[in-house]
Amino acid sequence: MASSTIHHPYIGTCASSVELLYGKSFKLLNLHNTNKKNKKKVRISCSYSVPDSTCEVVGDGVVYKEDEEGKRVLRVGIICGGPSSERGISLNSARSLLHHIQGDDLQVSCYYIDCNLNAYAISSAQVYSNTPADFDYKLESLAQSFQTLADLAEHLATAVDIVFPVIHGKFGEDGDIQELLERYNVPFVGTGSNECHQAFDKYKASLELSKLGFITVPNFLVQDYGTSKSELSEWFNRHQLDPDSGKVVIKPTIGGSSIGVRVAYGVADSIVKAEEIISEGIDNRVLIEMFLEGGSEFTAIVLDVGTGSDHRPVVLLPTEVELQFCGANDLKENDAIFNYRRKYLPTSQVAYHTPPRFPLDAIENIRKGASVLFQQLGLRDFARIDGWFLPNSSCTLSSSESDFGSTESGTILFTDINLISGMEQTSFLFQQASKVGFSHTNILRSIIHHACLRFPNIASVSGLPGLVPSRSKSSKLNKSFPHRKGARKVFVIFGGDTSERQVSLMSGTNVWLNLQAFDDLEVIPCLLSPTSEYASSVDAGKDPDDVRSRTVWSLPYSLVLRHTTEEVLDACVEAIEPDRAVLTSDLRKKVMNDLMEGLKDHNWFKGFDVVDEVPMRFSLEQWIKLAKEVQATVFLAVHGGIGEDGTLQSLLDAEGVPYTGPGSMASKLCMDKVATSVALKHLANSGVLTINKDVRRKDDLVNKLINDDIWHELTQKLQCETLCVKPSKDGCSTGVARLCCSKDLAIYVKALEDCLLRIPPNSLSKAHGMIEMPNPPPELVIFEPFIETDEIIVTSKFKNGNGHGLTWKGHNRWVEITVGVVGKLGSMQSLSPSVTVKETGDILSLEEKFQGGTGINLTPPPSSIMSAKALEICKQNIELIANTLQLEGFSRIDAFVNVDSGEVLIIEVNTVPGMTPSTVLIHQALAEKPPLYPHQFFRTLLDLAHERNM
């Protein structure tokens, strides 16, 4: 085979492709994967190199790739990033896409466009970063740059077969990236440039929808500053809105579906908030819309399964978006909308229902209308269309009888066209696709192969084998497991009832999806229900204080992909409720029949691979006995509570069931922050320091008058000016706040007394973000000195004298770090620490730790902050902590480190750390040499647990 080299129009050393093997030894820790018989090769190629041994130039001038057996390999280029505020979410989508489509038959290359429209070819490891700011500041030294976007397009024309753009918002959905690719004849997934331009602009789309006979939301366009107050007042009057208090929604015309969206009251407030959007640079054209009181928001994925010019858009099962509040103790907002925070942070303020709880005629109308819209607007491959259902009892809009969207039960309005739907692991795309038989891999590859049909040069590749996994993605937990010789059972358990249960769901989902990559494993996701659920269900009559009577649900594929644990639980109950189950089954069959009408003509489609199953319910005691019976290994992802205090570990130990992470005694010790400090106090001369603590009972604080005397007592005892307060035995994010005066302390104690679920931003004397509070409130809280560190600023907007977008004054020589430790008992080893960067306030927020696309982690610590020598000493101290506490398997240690000496000031130890797609543990594993990709990392942790009990 002839070799070929592609010369790129940029300067830099070309990195070779990374070829990873499942089962490769973890050299750093000298651990060995026992999965030798089922090694599975995956190519993860950096986009700026093409392996010579597998390339040849064919007649059409395109460089194609073949695997070792001479079969054609489809080369897909993922482009993410972009200039919009959604570039962090774009990175999440790229990560998910990369994870689920790569394989022997499909090579993935990754590209990134920064906020200044500079283009880079990046390694797949960078895609696993939490946010672009994690690597923006070091792109020049880390990635291969293109001088212009035209150079990028010329490179793509020869280096890949098809591009999958996942840039959300500007430059991704407005037609700009599509226009660039069209100009250089680069095949791509998704809608063409002209159609994107029309559909992405909310005002233009609204006009077009009205022309097509759809009912639209009345709106008023604001262009730049100086809006005519009289014209807007006339619009308010025309639509029977009070000019002083009428409720409206303000949104940018070309922003995403949630960035910059806000609520206003009356004409004056509307003008102010519209001009805020303009002044913030989000958009210079703003739409004012009526607030649809009494309506329910929905979103629907549309998939084109047609051939050539024969478009056949099929709408999957729509999802109802329900904003909800947890009683009087929650902060109910009058202007509550489905905003960025609610969309991407797992809190109980929003719930999804798939299919919607709408009348059947409304659901059918949504599916019919979205399909017509997709076709009439000239959309391609897939899209997400959002809208509202207004029951007849709610506000009515004037419309003619011919207008599409009027049903017997209410009115359907379509409001937003999303040309590139978000692709996080539990996004609407995957929720709805799994409900009708598609796994993540199957739906994404179906979209890609459908797009290939438009391009003759690559259409033949659409017959690639292996589109559908060789086995069903069944998750049923009983004796009828699809049995294969040598297959190991893995139960991934998550949920619980602590304030970290939503993060636990994200962790468990991520672990489950990653471990599915191994054909020698049967991986079953399981939900540990809240205590409030089990007492009145199958375990009625049992002692509610006996954790063994807690309920565990084994979950089918589609029920895992939810926003919150409450939502998963509700879905379980719905799935076994006869009437709801029949409705869902009927709708599912209808959609699948519609899909098969088109998919049967495509030779690449091998069938659906997610089975329609019902969840199964067990007591925790029954579930553990079942784990023992089928010789399962339990992957613990229950954060806090019984998942981290040694309780679950003790129950599993009693039955001899292997599990991930430290044993029961170490878990119990580390859960108690005070006990952890006491256990490490003797290491002060070895470079490990502890923070002084004062523990107070919540009831004692509530019953006292909080005044300056109490404040002075605390600060004098702890010898500090400001305090950090946190729950004694809760997670690492909830309930943590900086207190600067007695008034702050009083506000915090009042929040505990009132059982508030959250303290609103800027309630305390120093600026801060939303503080999520533990529910129920903790019995004990800890006060400790607040450790001051110098602000670290990471930006790509400017460069300092060193050529990096990283600024740190370094007057205070301590920085906050978080670091994973992995290994066997007595020989735990430290991964490379991550420096955590606080973007808002003094405490890392829940968003910065767990919300995708938010929060900056510098991995490894930049040399401009910490020297290599100090870093090595720091890692040695971290290992000393881990081995002193008798950790095993894996854990995460949070601390402050002195950047000169490597001394460590311990904050806390998490024995069941976050394992979300954006966790720092993944960044740190990828920083190893060779890098450990997520599926390998989680497999290593699983094998450590398995080996411990052998």
Side-chain angles (χ1 to χ4, degrees):
M1 183 178 293
S3 64
S4 173
T5 302
I6 296 178
H7 299 286
H8 308 311
Y10 52 82
I11 300 172
T13 304
C14 209
S16 56
S17 299
V18 181
E19 195 170 77
L20 302 174
L21 293 177
Y22 287 87
K24 179 179 280 190
S25 63
F26 187 176
K27 293 183 179 179
L28 170 74
L29 304 178
N30 197 28
L31 305 175
H32 297 278
N33 192 320
T34 57
N35 178 27
K36 294 178 180 177
K37 292 183 178 179
N38 294 280
K39 287 194 293 186
K40 185 176 180 182
K41 187 180 294 184
V42 176
R43 291 184 175 84
I44 308 175
S45 296
C46 301
S47 54
Y48 39 83
S49 67
V50 179
D52 292 343
S53 61
T54 54
C55 298
E56 67 174 338
V57 179
V58 294
D60 56 13
V62 179
V63 179
Y64 294 125
K65 191 172 190 293
E66 295 180 356
D67 64 14
E68 293 171 354
E69 298 177 1
K71 294 178 182 177
R72 174 81 176 279
V73 173
L74 182 67
R75 301 167 305 157
V76 178
I78 299 174
I79 303 182
C80 62
S84 84
S85 301
E86 295 181 274
R87 57 184 171 274
I89 302 303
S90 168
L91 193 62
N92 292 350
S93 294
R95 181 196 309 128
S96 185
L97 182 59
L98 169 70
H99 173 77
H100 292 293
I101 68 172
Q102 63 189 3
D104 283 335
D105 59 345
L106 195 151
Q107 174 188 310
V108 181
S109 304
C110 303
Y111 302 85
Y112 171 71
I113 293 176
D114 70 11
C115 58
N116 299 315
L117 297 184
N118 298 308
Y120 301 86
I122 61 174
S123 73
S124 52
Q126 286 168 274
V127 176
Y128 284 96
S129 300
N130 185 37
T131 169
D134 287 348
F135 58 80
D136 263 340
Y137 72 98
K138 53 184 176 181
L139 271 172
E140 289 183 358
S141 61
L142 196 66
Q144 301 295 315
S145 63
F146 296 90
Q147 292 181 2
T148 66
L149 290 173
D151 291 338
L152 168 65
E154 288 180 356
H155 162 75
L156 293 171
T158 55
V160 303
D161 297 316
I162 191 166
V163 166
F164 201 135
V166 288
I167 296 176
H168 303 307
K170 293 179 182 178
F171 198 74
E173 295 180 86
D174 60 3
D176 283 3
I177 186 68
Q178 291 82 2
E179 184 179 356
L180 175 70
L181 297 172
E182 287 166 351
R183 192 183 310 140
Y184 288 87
N185 297 314
V186 179
F188 62 90
V189 174
T191 300
S193 60
N194 290 335
E195 292 78 8
C196 282
H197 183 70
Q198 179 77 17
F200 184 64
D201 187 303
K202 293 179 177 63
Y203 183 66
K204 290 181 179 178
S206 175
L207 295 177
E208 188 63 25
L209 262 63
S210 185
K211 288 180 186 176
L212 294 172
F214 288 86
I215 302 172
T216 57
V217 184
N219 59 52
F220 182 91
L221 181 65
V222 174
Q223 302 191 66
D224 295 318
Y225 298 98
T227 305
S228 171
K229 189 173 182 179
S230 60
E231 289 182 13
L232 184 55
S233 297
E234 183 184 335
W235 180 84
F236 265 71
N237 290 325
R238 188 164 65 250
H239 295 288
Q240 300 178 344
L241 294 171
D242 188 315
D244 297 319
S245 60
K247 192 173 180 181
V248 293
V249 176
I250 315 293
K251 59 175 69 172
T253 61
I254 57 170
S257 56
S258 49
I259 294 291
V261 181
R262 56 203 71 183
V263 170
Y265 294 87
V267 173
D269 190 32
S270 298
I271 292 174
V272 168
K273 288 180 177 172
E275 293 185 347
E276 281 178 1
I277 293 175
I278 296 171
S279 64
E280 290 169 12
I282 298 174
D283 195 359
N284 60 0
R285 295 165 69 246
V286 177
L287 214 54
I288 300 175
E289 290 183 346
M290 283 182 62
F291 191 99
L292 299 176
E293 295 282 6
S296 297
E297 194 168 356
F298 68 81
T299 186
I301 298 293
V302 189
L303 188 68
D304 190 359
V305 294
T307 306
S309 58
D310 177 25
H311 298 288
R312 191 188 289 266
V314 175
V315 181
L316 307 185
L317 290 181
T319 298
E320 173 191 355
V321 179
E322 179 193 14
L323 294 182
Q324 54 183 208
F325 303 92
C326 304
N329 295 331
D330 200 357
L331 297 167
K332 185 163 185 177
E333 303 166 47
N334 292 325
D335 60 352
I337 54 176
F338 188 44
N339 58 17
Y340 187 85
R341 188 175 195 270
R342 292 189 176 95
K343 182 177 290 188
Y344 296 115
L345 180 66
T347 69
S348 55
Q349 293 183 46
V350 65
Y352 303 141
H353 304 275
T354 308
R357 301 165 302 173
F358 303 160
L360 191 57
D361 69 322
I363 296 174
E364 291 175 346
N365 190 282
I366 289 170
R367 293 193 64 234
K368 180 181 176 183
S371 175
V372 170
L373 249 185
F374 188 95
Q375 192 137 5
Q376 292 292 327
L377 294 178
L379 310 187
R380 297 194 309 216
D381 299 328
F382 79 118
R384 195 186 89 228
I385 299 177
D386 302 338
W388 288 79
F389 169 60
L390 300 177
N392 285 328
S393 58
S394 65
C395 69
T396 56
L397 299 172
S398 58
S399 64
S400 65
E401 291 185 2
S402 63
D403 283 339
F404 189 92
S406 296
T407 71
E408 290 185 5
S409 56
T411 303
I412 305 297
L413 301 97
F414 297 102
T415 55
D416 289 284
I417 315 296
N418 298 274
L419 288 313
I420 302 175
S421 178
M423 284 171 253
E424 300 81 13
Q425 289 184 339
T426 57
S427 67
F428 295 123
L429 172 64
F430 300 126
Q431 285 183 23
Q432 296 181 21
S434 66
K435 272 290 187 182
V436 294
F438 287 102
S439 67
H440 288 65
T441 296
N442 201 353
I443 187 66
L444 290 172
R445 287 192 165 208
S446 293
I447 291 169
I448 291 169
H449 286 297
H450 181 271
C452 287
L453 299 179
R454 289 196 298 276
F455 308 99
N457 288 340
I458 56 173
S460 61
V461 191
S462 62
L464 285 171
L467 173 64
V468 178
S470 58
R471 59 191 171 93
S472 165
K473 293 288 183 182
S474 170
S475 301
K476 185 171 286 189
L477 196 163
N478 59 18
K479 292 184 180 180
S480 64
F481 279 120
H483 182 71
R484 291 185 312 282
K485 186 177 181 181
R488 281 166 49 191
K489 310 298 185 292
V490 180
F491 294 175
V492 180
I493 186 167
F494 46 84
D497 53 6
T498 74
S499 53
E500 291 184 276
R501 62 191 179 277
Q502 317 307 359
V503 177
S504 173
L505 173 60
M506 294 172 65
S507 293
T509 301
N510 190 42
V511 170
W512 163 64
L513 287 171
N514 272 279
L515 290 181
Q516 283 190 99
F518 297 92
D519 289 333
D520 67 323
L521 299 178
E522 293 285 355
V523 189
I524 299 92
C526 306
L527 173 74
L528 175 64
S529 289
T531 50
S532 59
E533 185 269 340
Y534 74 84
S536 59
S537 63
V538 292
D539 303 309
K542 292 187 177 182
D543 182 0
D545 293 326
D546 183 1
V547 296
R548 292 172 296 182
S549 62
R550 295 280 295 270
T551 298
V552 177
W553 293 83
S554 74
L555 304 172
Y557 195 109
S558 64
L559 292 197
V560 187
L561 307 178
R562 292 296 186 274
H563 197 64
T564 65
T565 54
E566 291 81 6
E567 206 180 315
V568 175
L569 183 58
D570 288 344
C572 287
V573 174
E574 280 188 1
I576 59 177
E577 196 278 315
D579 292 342
R580 179 70 176 178
V582 169
L583 172 66
T584 301
S585 178
D586 289 345
L587 286 170
R588 171 189 165 98
K589 289 174 184 175
K590 180 175 177 57
V591 175
M592 292 177 76
N593 288 336
D594 291 345
L595 289 165
M596 281 308 299
E597 279 298 307
L599 290 171
K600 68 184 181 187
D601 298 326
H602 301 296
N603 63 356
W604 45 261
F605 186 72
K606 311 301 180 186
F608 300 105
D609 61 332
V610 170
V611 180
D612 185 18
E613 298 172 334
V614 295
M616 299 184 65
R617 179 192 269 164
F618 304 86
S619 70
L620 180 56
E621 183 176 32
Q622 292 170 335
W623 181 81
I624 291 174
K625 288 187 181 298
L626 179 61
K628 179 180 180 180
E629 180 184 340
V630 300
Q631 298 182 320
T633 301
V634 172
F635 203 118
L636 291 174
V638 178
H639 302 315
I642 68 170
E644 207 163 350
D645 67 3
T647 303
L648 261 181
Q649 291 83 350
S650 294
L651 293 173
L652 293 166
D653 281 336
E655 294 293 339
V657 176
Y659 55 87
T660 55
S664 58
M665 294 303 293
S667 297
K668 182 179 181 180
L669 173 65
C670 293
M671 185 66 167
D672 188 326
K673 299 178 180 70
V674 175
T676 303
S677 287
V678 171
L680 297 173
K681 211 166 187 66
H682 68 285
L683 300 178
N685 294 329
S686 301
V688 175
L689 309 176
T690 56
I691 302 174
N692 292 329
K693 292 175 171 57
D694 184 74
V695 183
R696 302 287 175 109
R697 294 186 60 82
K698 181 205 73 173
D699 292 343
D700 292 342
L701 291 169
V702 167
N703 293 327
K704 282 185 178 180
L705 176 65
I706 303 299
N707 53 28
D708 289 344
D709 292 339
I710 299 291
W711 177 259
H712 291 314
E713 177 193 337
L714 282 168
T715 52
Q716 286 179 3
K717 182 176 181 179
L718 295 172
Q719 297 181 335
C720 61
E721 294 183 0
T722 62
L723 300 171
C724 180
V725 61
K726 61 181 69 172
S728 174
K729 296 182 180 181
D730 215 294
C732 56
S733 303
T734 49
V736 183
R738 182 182 186 181
L739 309 179
C740 297
C741 59
S742 59
K743 183 180 178 182
D744 288 350
L745 176 58
I747 291 172
Y748 189 89
V749 171
K750 182 64 174 172
L752 293 176
E753 181 181 11
D754 295 342
C755 302
L756 290 186
L757 300 182
R758 53 193 61 83
I759 297 176
N762 303 324
S763 297
L764 306 176
S765 58
K766 201 168 188 305
H768 64 87
M770 184 78 76
I771 300 172
E772 298 286 338
M773 296 295 287
N775 182 31
E779 294 180 5
L780 300 172
V781 294
I782 296 173
F783 294 97
E784 56 188 34
F786 182 83
I787 307 299
E788 289 274 6
T789 57
D790 287 329
E791 183 181 22
I792 299 173
I793 300 174
V794 180
T795 181
S796 55
K797 298 285 187 182
F798 68 89
K799 296 177 181 178
N800 62 25
N802 296 324
H804 301 298
L806 188 150
T807 304
W808 177 63
K809 293 180 180 178
H811 299 315
N812 183 312
R813 304 303 290 168
W814 293 85
V815 296
E816 187 173 351
I817 61 167
T818 184
V819 54
V821 289
V822 183
K824 299 180 180 179
L825 184 64
S827 59
M828 296 292 284
Q829 296 194 36
S830 171
L831 300 176
S832 182
S834 300
V835 175
T836 55
V837 178
K838 296 180 284 288
E839 296 182 272
T840 56
D842 297 303
I843 303 291
L844 275 175
S845 67
L846 194 67
E847 289 97 329
E848 289 172 328
K849 284 201 171 187
F850 301 114
Q851 178 174 300
T854 309
I856 302 171
N857 298 287
L858 309 180
T859 311
S863 58
S864 59
I865 292 179
M866 187 185 299
S867 68
K869 182 179 179 181
L871 178 59
E872 188 56 36
I873 296 172
C874 168
K875 293 173 71 172
Q876 292 171 7
N877 287 330
I878 291 293
E879 290 169 1
L880 177 60
I881 293 169
N883 292 318
T884 300
L885 296 174
Q886 294 192 300
L887 303 181
E888 56 186 315
F890 75 114
S891 295
R892 195 191 75 230
I893 297 174
D894 297 337
F896 295 97
V897 62
N898 185 294
V899 297
D900 299 316
S901 67
E903 282 183 304
V904 169
L905 181 61
I906 186 74
I907 299 174
E908 64 184 18
V909 178
N910 298 277
T911 54
V912 183
M915 290 165 278
T916 66
S918 56
T919 179
V920 292
L921 290 180
I922 289 178
H923 310 169
Q924 293 169 11
L926 285 165
E928 296 302 316
K929 296 181 180 179
L932 272 179
Y933 280 80
H935 59 273
Q936 296 173 300
F937 179 60
F938 292 128
R939 181 60 188 258
T940 297
L941 305 182
L942 183 70
D943 288 343
L944 279 168
H946 182 72
E947 291 166 12
R948 186 167 67 193
N949 275 42
M950 288 182 64

